[in-house]
Amino acid sequence: NAGVTQTPKFQVLKTGQSMTLQCAQDMNHNSMYWYRQDPGMGLRLIYYSASEGTTDKGEVPNGYNVSRLNKREFSLRLESAAPSQTSVYFCASSSSGRDEQYFGPGTRLTVT
Amino acid sequence: DQQVKQNSPSLSVQEGRISILNCDYTNSMFDYFLWYKKYPAEGPTFLISISSIKDKNEDGRFTVFLNKSAKHLSLHIVPSQPGDSAVYFCAASAWSTNAGKSTFGDGTTLTVKP
């Protein structure tokens, strides 16, 4: 089992460009999450999907959109990237909202 | 308003000694707590959890203690090993108010010296 996979691992964007971060899990989990981690800070929840077909805003949703394509895949889209979105992005999944989460390896995004 | 706080950004201990990592929370609705470990350039991995109906949970070298009246939990690692050097995140969730979504602290960097 691969667990949670994320692509790409690294990305550099210019201000105003758009991109989609991909995430997939093979553990048949219902819940999936997108977090960002800035230096010296914890994980801040961007968006959350409790089950296929549902999404919910987290703590810092502005500037992002998500799609729960199916049970396995949960993508994060930046429509118009800004330097403030420079961060490391983690996708995670769990059996339910209550259970421990399994994280992907992260995507390091730099917006210049 | 940070609801989960890890007030010590870093901790250094000698190999074989005890490591104690602390976490405080402000939301009295939190009823489930988790600790994650994170190595550089990797995603966090789950370590141990505790429900609010307990005050202690143990898993090998790792023990988590919960003091509900003080809104405080701690992670004890005994004995500490160099491989335990990592960033440790405390997380808390409140099933009744936010479907169990976790709120994370800022992390404590543990360094275990050989």
Side-chain angles (χ1 to χ4, degrees):
Chain A
N1 286 350
V4 179
T5 57
Q6 292 183 235
T7 55
K9 284 188 166 40
F10 301 94
Q11 184 71 50
V12 179
L13 291 178
K14 291 188 182 344
T15 298
Q17 288 185 318
S18 62
M19 78 161 296
T20 300
L21 281 66
Q22 307 285 356
C23 174
Q25 52 92 8
D26 61 2
M27 294 173 282
N28 201 36
H29 284 167
N30 291 310
S31 300
M32 296 187 74
Y33 315 79
W34 276 105
Y35 293 93
R36 60 177 287 174
Q37 186 189 15
D38 300 316
M41 297 184 69
L43 297 157
R44 292 187 291 170
L45 184 65
I46 304 171
Y47 268 95
Y48 160 71
S49 172
S51 61
E52 183 179 353
T54 68
T55 61
D56 197 7
K57 293 179 180 179
E59 184 185 352
V60 288
N62 291 344
Y64 305 95
N65 285 302
V66 290
S67 295
R68 184 74 183 267
L69 304 169
N70 47 55
K71 192 170 186 178
R72 288 188 64 247
E73 298 172 288
F74 189 38
S75 62
L76 178 73
R77 182 159 179 85
L78 286 71
E79 290 291 351
S80 178
S84 60
Q85 294 178 304
T86 294
S87 189
V88 180
Y89 291 84
F90 291 101
C91 177
S93 70
S94 66
S95 182
S96 73
R98 182 66 147 186
D99 297 318
E100 66 267 20
Q101 296 177 26
Y102 293 78
F103 286 82
T107 294
R108 187 172 295 274
L109 175 67
T110 301
V111 183
T112 61
Chain B
D1 175 31
Q2 197 168 14
Q3 298 187 65
V4 177
K5 296 180 183 178
Q6 294 178 255
N7 291 318
S8 298
S10 63
L11 174 68
S12 181
V13 300
Q14 208 66 36
E15 181 179 6
R17 306 294 291 268
I18 184 171
S19 294
I20 300 176
L21 295 95
N22 294 305
C23 179
D24 296 298
Y25 60 96
T26 57
N27 187 342
S28 58
M29 299 299 292
F30 286 146
D31 57 4
Y32 193 64
F33 305 89
L34 310 95
W35 284 94
Y36 291 84
K37 179 167 76 172
K38 185 184 180 304
Y39 293 119
E42 295 183 11
T45 55
F46 169 72
L47 197 53
I48 192 169
S49 62
I50 188 166
S51 165
S52 61
I53 62 172
K54 295 185 173 182
D55 54 18
K56 176 183 173 181
N57 190 25
E58 194 171 352
D59 183 2
R61 296 186 297 113
F62 302 91
T63 303
V64 56
F65 296 92
L66 176 62
N67 182 334
K68 288 187 290 293
S69 60
K71 294 192 180 69
H72 176 84
L73 65 156
S74 60
L75 174 69
H76 292 211
I77 306 173
V78 185
S80 301
Q81 299 172 354
D84 295 329
S85 296
V87 179
Y88 290 79
F89 292 102
C90 169
S93 67
W95 182 254
S96 60
T97 57
N98 65 354
K101 293 194 294 283
S102 291
T103 300
F104 285 79
D106 287 344
T108 296
T109 300
L110 173 65
T111 302
V112 180
K113 297 180 178 178

